[in-house]
Amino acid sequence: NAGVTQTPKFRVLKTGQSMTLLCAQDMNHEYMYWYRQDPGMGLRLIHYSVGEGTTAKGEVPDGYNVSRLKKQNFLLGLESAAPSQTSVYFCASSYSFSGVGYEQYFGPGTRLTVT
Amino acid sequence: AQTVTQSQPEMSVQEAETVTLSCTYDTSESDYYLFWYKQPPSRQMILVIRQEAYKQQNATENRFSVNFQKAAKSFSLKISDSQLGDAAMYFCAYRPMYSGGGADGLTFGKGTHLIIQP
């Protein structure tokens, strides 16, 4: 049981390049989330998904797109990377929104640098 | 919008002693969840403890306990018998109990850096 995994762990991009971050969970969780963490700040929600085929915007969605084609995977895309997107990206998942299994479990993070 | 405030950027404690990390939050909701997450240098976010707002009893997990004061909107974390492995950033987080369309993620404070002195 690997929990939540993220690929890649590190990446350096040039301004304008595109990339996709992959999050995978093997816990049969319905809910998945993408957060970013900037220095001196807590995590902020980018996008999230309440189930396969559904996505929604979070607090800081601009410049990112997401897809959830399979229940176990949640992809975060940057179409044209900007230096302001330099950050550490975390994926999280939870079984439910409320009641049993509402707590979120996090992946190890991806450090992205845009030059 | 909900906000979470951690007023202590850094705390230091002697090994084996007790330390309390502060957290206050602002919300108009009556039903919600509160969490403390630990982030060691490996940057992995580890759930330490959680509290449901409808429960009056404070949550406890081994050496970790909380003091939840709903009226004061305060949620402090007490670490007893501090160990070197407790050294990390600690984040307080909030989430409403019911889906609110765009407010469904965790709202985090800026964190407290906990140093354990041997």
Side-chain angles (χ1 to χ4, degrees), chain B residues 8-64:
Chain B
Q8 306 152 317
E10 187 172 279
M11 292 282 286
S12 182
V13 64
Q14 291 290 127
E15 192 176 4
E17 294 191 344
T18 296
V19 63
T20 299
L21 308 184
S22 301
C23 173
T24 58
Y25 57 94
D26 186 27
T27 182
S28 58
E29 304 284 339
S30 58
D31 296 317
Y32 48 86
Y33 301 114
L34 295 164
F35 308 85
W36 279 97
Y37 280 89
K38 171 186 178 181
Q39 187 177 43
S42 67
R43 78 170 177 241
Q44 177 73 52
M45 295 291 288
I46 302 166
L47 178 63
V48 174
I49 199 165
R50 62 192 179 198
Q51 175 81 42
E52 294 89 355
Y54 60 83
K55 289 185 178 179
Q56 293 185 346
Q57 186 172 6
N58 290 324
T60 299
E61 290 286 345
N62 300 313
R63 296 182 296 108
F64 299 87

Side-chain angles (χ1 to χ4, degrees), chain A:
Chain A
N1 191 338
V4 181
T5 59
Q6 294 182 231
T7 309
K9 289 186 169 50
F10 302 93
R11 185 72 185 269
V12 178
L13 287 180
K14 295 187 185 303
T15 298
Q17 286 185 321
S18 64
M19 77 162 294
T20 300
L21 281 66
L22 170 64
C23 175
Q25 52 90 8
D26 61 1
M27 299 176 283
N28 198 35
H29 284 178
E30 288 291 336
Y31 293 76
M32 297 187 75
Y33 309 82
W34 276 107
Y35 294 86
R36 61 177 287 173
Q37 183 180 28
D38 299 308
M41 298 184 70
L43 282 66
R44 292 181 294 167
L45 184 66
I46 304 171
H47 286 281
Y48 65 100
S49 169
V50 302
E52 183 178 323
T54 69
T55 63
K57 294 181 180 179
E59 180 186 354
V60 288
D62 294 342
Y64 305 95
N65 56 75
V66 288
S67 64
R68 183 124 180 247
L69 299 179
K70 293 183 179 180
K71 184 177 182 177
Q72 64 268 34
N73 296 337
F74 194 29
L75 279 63
L76 178 71
L78 286 73
E79 290 186 347
S80 180
S84 61
Q85 294 178 305
T86 293
S87 189
V88 179
Y89 291 86
F90 287 94
C91 177
S93 70
S94 66
Y95 180 74
S96 68
F97 193 79
S98 58
V100 175
Y102 65 84
E103 62 274 16
Q104 293 182 24
Y105 292 95
F106 284 80
T110 295
R111 180 176 293 279
L112 174 66
T113 302
V114 183
T115 61

